[in-house]
Amino acid sequence: MKKVFIAGQEGMVGQAIYSLLKRKKFYRILECKRKDLDLTSQKDVNYWFKKNKPNIVINAAGRVGGILENDNFKSDFIYINTMIGFNLLNVSLNNNVKKFINLGSACSYPKKTKQPIKEEYLLSSKLEKTNEGYAIAKISTIKYCEYIREFYKKDFVSLQPANLYGVGDNFDLKSSHVIPALIRKFHQARKYNKKKVEVWGSGNVKREFLHVDDLAESVLFCLRTNHSESLLNVSGQDYLSIKQLSILIKKVTNFSGKIFFNKKYPDGVKERKLDDKKLSKLGWKSKIKLEYGLKSYYEYFKSLELK
């Protein structure tokens, strides 16, 4: 049975991949908690690999956060994510790992680019300033992964998912992404009988959302599939404005008040829709519609509040 190391297996993405592979029972998952291995230390990572000898590595680790978190801690985001990505790739190459799946981010694409965004648009123009540190780290890791694939003929591939949400998400309003932040805001407004909910930005920017369980399924698909691509977009089922998203979450949470869009906060990229033709041609598409995903996601949030 092949041994799989899921780096970041306690995070939202790592948990989803871990649970799926565990259910399928095709792989032996190597247990490794965050406290047990410093992924920014090449020495520690190399020692762990030599001891545990994984055949497959999935990089779901990293420092992540919302728009203000990214903007305020650029130095942390670029350092931590670059070190994690480079250490895992380099040590995997030196320890003869057979398959490596690197998880990138749609924010790695330029601020201004054609829509939907194709994989070849990477590095075609300037990045969005607010998440530049994180994006550069992810781009560097994607390119290192690509170079290893080309030069050493290794089965190393990067997946570029749309905006993610799901079980294991972070609901801290200071650092969370847009969906968990809005779920919490609308829930608390309803709970405390508030008349309005503040949403950061104009509400006009458009985003595509992907349930983390769909991303996990795409990882499993790539584990089972051989192809010639070094970078693949993983697209979601829904593409909508933040205003439309806010109205949908208002509906899901049964909030009856008004929505206030605070334009003092940054919007980020105006629009971001991924082109998933390459992955679709290989035979995979996401399945979870946003409204269905949000309903189960809201139930998950309420279960956390009860604990």
Side-chain angles (χ1 to χ4, degrees):
M1 186 178 286
K2 291 180 180 178
K3 293 190 287 185
V4 181
F5 172 43
I6 305 169
Q9 58 193 241
E10 293 172 279
M12 177 178 69
V13 175
Q15 282 183 49
I17 297 168
Y18 181 99
S19 298
L20 179 62
L21 298 190
K22 201 82 168 175
R23 292 198 304 273
K24 296 298 181 182
K25 299 179 181 179
F26 296 137
Y27 308 95
R28 177 188 162 199
I29 301 175
L30 297 169
E31 303 288 340
C32 183
K33 304 297 184 186
R34 188 180 293 111
K35 63 180 178 60
D36 297 328
L37 178 60
D38 178 6
L39 293 173
T40 66
S41 167
Q42 189 175 59
K43 180 181 177 181
D44 291 354
V45 175
N46 190 54
Y47 175 81
W48 190 92
F49 269 62
K50 288 186 180 300
K51 180 181 177 182
N52 293 280
K53 297 178 172 56
N55 310 111
I56 297 168
V57 175
I58 301 167
N59 178 21
R63 170 79 185 270
V64 297
I67 190 168
L68 287 184
E69 183 87 349
N70 268 276
D71 199 22
N72 292 333
F73 298 98
K74 287 189 181 80
S75 59
D76 286 348
F77 276 88
I78 193 170
Y79 174 76
I80 293 170
N81 290 295
T82 301
M83 294 301 291
I84 289 172
F86 275 37
N87 284 339
L88 287 171
L89 281 164
N90 186 257
V91 172
S92 293
L93 174 63
N94 293 334
N95 286 273
N96 200 32
V97 167
K98 299 300 181 185
K99 193 148 191 160
F100 190 108
I101 295 180
N102 172 56
L103 296 174
S105 168
C107 74
S108 303
Y109 287 118
K111 179 178 181 177
K112 296 179 181 179
T113 187
K114 293 179 183 178
Q115 303 289 327
I117 306 170
K118 297 181 180 180
E119 289 86 350
E120 51 264 37
Y121 295 169
L122 192 73
L123 291 173
S124 61
S125 62
K126 290 183 178 180
L127 299 165
E128 160 61 36
K129 275 289 182 183
T130 55
N131 61 11
E132 188 179 75
Y134 179 73
I136 289 173
K138 286 297 183 179
I139 292 167
S140 300
T141 304
I142 287 167
K143 298 307 288 185
Y144 187 27
C145 186
E146 177 188 320
Y147 300 154
I148 290 173
R149 182 185 182 95
E150 290 176 352
F151 189 82
Y152 296 99
K153 309 303 178 187
K154 301 286 286 185
D155 191 1
F156 286 23
V157 62
S158 294
L159 300 182
Q160 201 86 304
N163 290 51
L164 294 168
Y165 70 101
V167 171
D169 219 336
N170 166 31
F171 291 94
D172 184 340
L173 294 179
K174 293 180 180 179
S175 61
S176 63
H177 291 104
V178 62
I179 285 183
L182 291 180
I183 285 284
R184 182 173 178 180
K185 283 184 175 183
F186 277 96
H187 173 79
Q188 290 183 334
R190 179 185 173 220
K191 182 177 179 180
Y192 297 111
N193 296 313
K194 293 184 178 180
K195 294 181 179 180
K196 66 179 181 180
V197 166
E198 179 190 65
V199 178
W200 292 354
S202 67
N204 296 324
V205 299
K206 298 183 78 174
R207 294 289 182 270
E208 178 181 36
F209 296 96
L210 177 72
H211 196 285
V212 72
D213 288 348
D214 266 339
L215 177 59
E217 289 285 355
S218 75
V219 169
L220 178 61
F221 176 82
C222 288
L223 286 177
R224 295 171 167 176
T225 308
N226 293 318
H227 55 79
S228 60
E229 305 293 345
S230 64
L231 177 62
L232 290 166
N233 286 335
V234 186
S235 183
Q237 283 286 310
D238 296 87
Y239 180 55
L240 70 172
S241 70
I242 298 302
K243 181 177 181 180
Q244 290 170 316
L245 174 67
S246 302
I247 292 169
L248 184 56
I249 292 177
K250 176 182 176 180
K251 175 185 173 184
V252 168
T253 57
N254 290 314
F255 175 66
S256 59
K258 295 182 178 180
I259 303 172
F260 164 64
F261 293 95
N262 191 339
K263 296 178 182 179
K264 292 180 180 179
Y265 288 95
D267 271 334
V269 176
K270 185 177 179 181
E271 53 184 347
R272 187 187 292 133
K273 172 77 175 75
L274 298 182
D275 185 314
D276 66 348
K277 287 187 178 68
K278 288 185 178 182
L279 190 54
S280 295
K281 285 181 180 178
L282 292 172
W284 190 87
K285 289 279 289 185
S286 59
K287 297 176 181 177
I288 302 172
K289 295 287 290 182
L290 184 59
E291 185 166 358
Y292 173 83
L294 286 175
K295 287 177 181 177
S296 60
Y297 184 63
Y298 183 43
E299 293 304 314
Y300 160 67
F301 171 77
K302 288 190 290 185
S303 72
L304 291 179
E305 195 181 48
L306 293 172
K307 290 181 180 178

